Amino acid sequence: MDATECFIQDNYYYLCKAMDQLTSQQLDDYEAQESYRLEFVEPLVAISKNRNVKNSPYNQLTFEREARVLEILITNKLLR
């Protein structure tokens, strides 16, 4: 990778209400390979899990970004 290269990524977040009835997951190939599964957790639990990811092939900043987004939503009373 070129040290002067810049990566730009736009992330979009949506707040919505979940339906009571679950349907089967429609996973992308890489998600299925990594055994992704839907799990509902409280926002503070998700923040803690994101901040404690170790030995991931993904950039640690990705997990920190998600933790910060959740904190912003809590601060703005959009999540409890």
Side-chain angles (χ1 to χ4, degrees):
M1 176 182 252
D2 182 343
T4 63
E5 186 176 337
C6 180
F7 176 79
I8 298 174
Q9 176 177 329
D10 294 321
N11 295 292
Y12 298 92
Y13 298 86
Y14 301 91
L15 292 176
C16 60
K17 292 187 181 208
M19 298 177 69
D20 291 333
Q21 182 179 0
L22 295 178
T23 61
S24 63
Q25 296 186 108
Q26 303 294 319
L27 300 176
D28 291 335
D29 289 341
Y30 81 93
E31 294 170 330
Q33 288 173 351
E34 296 199 20
S35 302
Y36 279 31
R37 65 183 172 85
L38 178 62
E39 180 180 347
F40 290 98
V41 297
E42 295 297 321
L44 293 177
V45 172
I47 290 168
S48 176
K49 285 186 176 208
N50 277 316
R51 291 219 164 108
N52 288 292
V53 171
K54 304 291 184 240
N55 302 319
S56 172
Y58 301 109
N59 187 318
Q60 289 297 116
L61 292 176
T62 302
F63 300 106
E64 179 59 27
R65 177 194 67 213
E66 299 306 321
R68 287 184 184 186
V69 167
L70 288 169
E71 288 174 333
I72 290 167
L73 293 171
I74 292 169
T75 299
N76 287 290
K77 299 187 183 341
L78 295 167
L79 287 179
R80 291 182 258 149

